[in-house]
Amino acid sequence: MATTEKSGKTEQAARRAARSVPTASSERFELTWPYFMYTIVICFLLTTIVLWVWSMVAPAPLEPIADPNRTPNPSKAPWYFVGLQELLVYFDPWIAGVALPGLILGGLMAIPYIDKNTHGIGEYNYKDRKFAVWVFSLGTVFWFLLIIIGYFFRGPSWQWYWPWENWEIHKESHVVTHSWSLLGGSLFLIGYTAVGLIIPVLIPYLIGPRVKPASWIKKFCDALQEFYEKRGATIYTIEMLLLLTMLGIPVKMILRLYFNVKYILEIPAINLNI
Amino acid sequence: MARAAGALSAEEHATRRRLLSFLGWGSFVSFFSGVTIGSLRFFFPRILYEPSQQFIAGKPEDYQVGEVSTRMKKEQRVWMIRDQMGIYALISVCTHLGCTPIWHSTENRIKCPCHGSNFLVDGQNVAGPAPSPLFRAAISLDLAGNIVVDKSQKENQPGKRDEPPFILPLS
Amino acid sequence: MANLSLKNVPQAIVESQIWKSIFRHGYTMNRRNRLLAITNNVFYHILPTKISKYGVRMRFHWGAGIITFYLFLILTFTGVLLMFYYVPTVPRAYYDMKDLQHVVPFGNILRNMHRYGAHAMVFMVMVHMARTFYTSSYKPPREFNWVVGVILLNFTFLLSFSGYLLPWDQLAIWAVTVGTNMARATPLIGHEGPFANLIGMKVNNDIRFALLGGTTVGSATLLRFYVLHCIGFPIILTIFIVVHFWRVRRDGFSGDVPVRE
Ligand code: HEM
Ligand code: FES
C-alpha cells in the first residue's frame, strides 16, 4: 500500500513514458500560432455563445426597490454566498463570517507550503496523493452542499422546507435552542481536538505491534505512521487542525439541526461562543 | 599620512553619513505613514446625512393591551407593543446581522427571514443565531400627549429594558 | 494600373507599406513566421511559442483559466457600457436599471450579460482552482502563483459582492446589509467583535462605518461600492492577473513539463 518515494517516482516515470506524449522533445510540442490560438478562440466563442443565449432567454432578476423596513421572506444571498449564509445559521457572525472564511482563504494559500508531496505535477494523479485529493474534494463538495442546502432546502424564516413543500403554506415552529454547560462544552471540544490530533499518532504504537504482520489492520497502522512521519510534528498539527475545523462544521450543524444546541461552548465574556 | 586640518576621519564620516541616512529615510517613512494614516482617516466621514432617529407614534389610546402593532413598522422599523405594564417600542432590526424580522401572530413569535432567528414578543432571542435580544427604543410622552420614540437610545437587557425610558408605564 | 481588378485588392493591401508597418509577419506557412507572430506581438508575447501537445489539450486544462480571463474582459466591456446610463444615487440607481431593462437600446441584454457573466466568472474561477489543484500545479516552483490565484479568487468575490449592491433592489440591500454587518463582528476592528470594546470601537468608528460611509446602508454606501466596483477592485484584479500570467510564463506551464527530474 505505502509506496516509497523511489518506487513512486519510478512508476510515475513509467506512466509518463507510456503516455503518448513524453515531456521535452521538440516534436512533442505544438506551435502556439496557430494551434493554441484555436483553443483560445474556441473558448472565447463558446463562452460568448453561451452567455449571449443565456442573456437572451432569461431576464436577470430585479426585485422591488430597496426598502430598509421590509426584508423579503426568505432573503437569499447570491448562490456563491449562500453557503456562507447557511454557515451563519450555526455560528456567531465573527466565526462564520470572518474566522472561517479567513481560515478557508488562508488554508488555500497555505496548501503549497504544507503539502510537501512532490508527486503528480502536471498530471491527474490520485494514487500518490490520496489524502490531498480527498481533503480538497471533501471541502469542495461540502462547500457546494452548503450552497444546495441554503438554496433549495430553506424557505420562509429560513426554516427547513423540502423542495417539494409549498412556501405559501406556513410551517409553524416553536423550537427553543439551548447551550451546553461550560464544563460539558469544553470537555467536548478538548476531547474532539485531542482525539483527532493524538489518536492517529497513537494507533500505530498501541495496536501496531499486537496484530499479525500481514493483516489489514497492520497495513492501516503503517499507513498512519508513514502519514505522520512524512509530515513531522508541525505540519501534521497544522494540517490536522485545519481538517478538524472543517469536519467540526458538520458536527455543529447536526447538533443544531437534530438536538437544538445553540452553543457547544459559551463564554460570553470574551465573545467566544462556538 | 598627515591629514589636512578640519578633514574628518573615516569613522567620523561614517557617523555623519549614518545620521543623514537616518534622517533621510526617517522623514521618508514618517511622511508616507502620515499619508497612509490620513488616507485611512479619510474614509470616516465627519458628518452623516441620515434620517432623524426620533418620531411621533400617535397617542397611547391608539394601542390595545396585548397588541403588537405594525403601524409604525413600514416607516420607522419598530413594533409598538402594549402589555399590562405599558407601551414599548421594539426595534425591528435583527441583532444577528441586521435584517428586518417579521411578526407571526399565529406562532406568537418574531422570526427573521435571513438566517431564521426567533424572538418572543418581549424581544428575547429563543432560537436561531441571534446572539442577543431585540432592542427597545426610548419612549416618552410630549406635552401634547403624543408618544415620542427615540431610536438612538436603546436597551435590550432584561431588567433595564423594563424600566423607563424604555417602557411607557400605563395602567 | 492595368491589373486593377478586385481580385488583386487584398494582396495590394497586404503588401502596402501601411499594412506591413503594422503587421510584420504574414500568415505564411513557415515555422519561423509562426514563432515570430507570437514573439513580435505585444499581446501574444506573454504566450510561449510552443506548447506541449499533452498540456494543450482541453482535457488537461479545461480551458478554465482562459474562460475566466475572457469573462473578465466581457465584464469590463459591458460594465463600461452600463456606466454610460447608470447613476449611483439612491433616487436614480433603481430606475436606471429599469430604464436599462426597458428603454435603453440593447440595455437589457447588456445588463443580463454583465450579471450572468459575473456569476459565470465566480464559477469558472472555482473550476480553474480545482483544475490547478488536481494537476498539482501548485507545487514547486508554482507555489506563489497559487497564492496569487487565491488572491484573485478573493477579489473576484469582492467584485461580485460590490456589484451586487448597485441595482439598489431588495436583493441588493439585504445582501449588503448582512455582508457588511459581518464586518462589524470582526475581532478588534468591528464594534461588535471580540475585544473591540477594549480599544473603544463604536458604531461610528469601526471598519463597517468606513465601508458604509455611515451607520446604515444608504446613499454613501452606494457611492462607495460604485467606486470600488468600477475602479478599485478591477484595477487590483488587473494588476494581479498580470502577475499571474507572468508567473505562468516564468514558472512554466505545468502541462509542459510534468515533473522536473
Ligand atoms: C481572475 C481569476 C484568474 C484568472 C483570469 C486566471 C487565469 C489563468 C490562466 C489563463 C492560466 C493558464 C493556464 C490555464 O488556463 O489553465 C492560469 C494558470 C494558473 N492559475 Fe490561474 N487564474 C485565475 C485565478 C486563479 C485561482 C483562484 C487559482 C488558485 C487558487 C489559480 C492558480 C493558477 C495556477 C497554479 C496556474 C498554473 C497552472 C499550470 O501551470 O498548470 N488561478 N491562470
Ligand atoms: S439577520 Fe436575522 S437571523 Fe441573521
Side-chain angles (χ1 to χ4, degrees), chain B residues 43-118:
Chain B
F43 285 96
F44 293 80
R46 284 210 182 96
I47 180 167
L48 300 179
Y49 299 91
E50 293 181 347
S52 161
Q53 298 288 301
Q54 271 191 26
F55 65 95
I56 290 188
K59 309 250 180 205
E61 308 87 76
D62 298 343
Y63 302 98
Q64 252 82 74
V65 173
E67 181 193 14
V68 177
S69 165
T70 52
R71 59 189 287 191
M72 300 318 291
K73 200 186 165 204
K74 224 171 161 190
E75 295 288 316
Q76 297 293 346
R77 237 181 146 176
V78 297
W79 292 286
M80 303 299 294
I81 302 174
R82 179 160 181 184
D83 62 11
Q84 305 299 335
M85 313 289 296
I87 299 180
Y88 55 90
L90 196 62
I91 302 177
S92 105
V93 176
C94 186
T95 49
H96 182 226
L97 290 170
C99 288
T100 308
I102 296 165
W103 158 246
H104 296 271
S105 54
T106 50
E107 292 158 274
N108 213 16
R109 275 199 183 184
I110 293 162
K111 294 187 174 185
C112 183
C114 287
H115 315 90
S117 288
N118 283 210

Side-chain angles (χ1 to χ4, degrees), chain A residues 103-119:
Chain A
L103 269 182
I104 294 174
L105 287 174
L108 281 174
M109 288 196 199
I111 285 179
Y113 305 99
I114 54 184
D115 179 4
K116 301 278 191 202
N117 179 345
T118 53
H119 288 303

Side-chain angles (χ1 to χ4, degrees), chain A residues 48-64:
Chain A
T48 313
I49 292 170
V50 169
L51 197 59
W52 186 272
V53 171
W54 187 8
S55 305
M56 292 289 274
V57 298
L62 186 65
E63 294 223 341

Side-chain angles (χ1 to χ4, degrees), chain A residues 3-109:
Chain A
T3 45
T4 65
E5 191 81 1
K6 188 137 179 266
S7 77
K9 279 254 161 78
T10 334
E11 273 176 43
Q12 190 174 337
R15 270 203 307 286
R16 210 172 307 119
R19 221 156 44 201
S20 58
V21 192
T23 47
S25 80
S26 86
E27 71 269 26
R28 305 301 183 188
F29 280 76
E30 206 162 58
L31 290 181
T32 305
W33 185 276
Y35 304 110
F36 183 54
M37 286 301 169
Y38 293 155
T39 313
I40 297 183
V41 168
I42 287 171
C43 284
F44 284 11
L45 283 180
L46 286 180
T47 314
T48 313
I49 292 170
V50 169
L51 197 59
W52 186 272
V53 171
W54 187 8
S55 305
M56 292 289 274
V57 298
L62 186 65
E63 294 223 341
I65 193 167
D67 177 1
N69 300 323
R70 195 182 71 78
T71 310
N73 190 13
S75 189
K76 294 195 179 184
W79 66 268
Y80 39 85
F81 283 143
V82 167
L84 194 63
Q85 190 177 8
E86 184 63 21
L87 271 188
L88 282 163
V89 173
Y90 307 99
F91 296 96
D92 272 7
W94 80 265
I95 297 178
V98 185
L100 289 178
L103 269 182
I104 294 174
L105 287 174
L108 281 174
M109 288 196 199

